[in-house]
Amino acid sequence: MPEMSRRALLAGAAATVGLAAAGTPAARAAAPRRVPVTREEHRTVIIGSGFGGGVAALRLAQAGVECLVLERGVWWPTGPGAETFPHATSPDKRMFWLGSTPTVFGIPADPFPHYTGLLEQVPGNGMDMIVAAGVGGGSLVYQGMTLQPAENVFNANLPEQLDYARMDRIHYRRVARMLRIETAPDELIASRTYNPSRIFARDVERAGYPVSKIPMPIDWTFALRELKGEMKPSYTNGDCALGVNNGGKHSVDVTYIAAARATGRVTVATQHNVTDVAMAKNGRWQVSVDRIATDGTVLEKKIITTAALVMAAGTAGTTKLLMRASAKDQIPDMPDGLGTGWGSNGDRIYLWTDFEDDFGAPQGGPVVYGTFDWDDPGTANTVIQASLPPLPNIRSTMIVGYGVSKGRGRFAYDSAKDDAVLQWPKGADDTLYRRINERVTAIAGPRSVLTDTTGAYPSTWHPLGGASMGTVCDLAGRVKGHRGLYVLDGALLPGTAAACNPSMTIAAVAERATDDLIAEDVGAVF
């Protein structure tokens, strides 16, 4: 392999922060010991504290409903000068969920001690999912693009009964206010480390595409203060792929979850790993939970009973728990569509090496500009530029695409593993990939090399579907035929977020759903 290609591949691996981290179940105690078993009852239990769980906790609490939020990970508090989050260029145990070992395209690196870290690779047949753990879920590590789909793309790919006009008027705007989204100021973009952003915007326009600033849930004054030397670099050197240590990022933990706790009606139980869900004989919902230490040791087993159970454990977590319960008849008569309709959101991540322009190092981040190709709802897509973590200058940056694909996978339950495993057909996203590749190639120009990291390692950071609205749930997330059981996370979206990264639509759909649940179910079910 030529030296530049080898370096590009390794840089792509660093930039995507161990996308091939090998996932295994949580560690068990080395020696047999007695683990206490306790029982609890709660009015409402929410599994997961990401976009769906955060919205559900806040809105239900505001309606007077007491909620227990179960989160398998830990809190990640930030503030100027904090060292809470790990660094992509110096991996440590905080990066990986229990039992994970970093790999670079299949080449094992040194293992780390088990820890309730940020990222877990969920292996599938043909496609892996990269999922987050911790209070705030995926909002802790996502780049932060907060995009609302265009009406034509939304209506062509999501149920029209969602009523785009209502979503636009109420729910998307509510999310934008909660996350306090802003675009990067020109003063910041003009600074030295944001040279890659300026080159990308120029090259997008040269290729004949429109360029737009991307709304982000960031207080950009933090980055401006970094430029003045008032804080150590975090935004301005791209060291924000695994969370922003300085703060200023309006992730779910410091927005929705903080507001929910402030009501006095929400308890967040961290290091509570849900292992099973079931329907009790009296029709209530039963949740089996391991309370774990940060090394995965089970400290206590809990059996929690509730009248209302909100599944918000993320696409992988929610679908796997429900499929396991269905396969073992712990929840009988689940809808036939459970486990189907899964999509990758068309993720494609490239390392862009440019021999004409020097991007420089370090690179300011996380995202400033993007270009939207939304006229055709069937292949609508978005391309953005994202910073590399602080590496030596290799004349490279990141360019990322995602969009609408009709390719769908499904989960299959494996009784030997007691697990549901994604089955992804080869080439399912190829139509979209060709369109994204055409656009990315035009932007990069003839004197560049594009290293397709997703082609080398098929994976997605934006898994969607598995318990989709219309097949498994209604539009408010109610699981069909099962009173008091709800899905309010990415599993509810039918495989696509309509050419956007999913966070804003997951939150807006959850906002819409909880409005309906508060009007119709609180007092009757909750």
Side-chain angles (χ1 to χ4, degrees), residues 19-34:
L19 292 180
T24 59
R28 298 185 182 280
R33 61 185 181 83
R34 183 169 296 176

Side-chain angles (χ1 to χ4, degrees), residues 341-356:
W342 184 92
S344 72
N345 207 44
D347 279 12
R348 208 71 175 182
I349 302 175
Y350 298 85
L351 189 79
W352 172 16
T353 304
D354 195 325
F355 299 107
E356 182 175 16

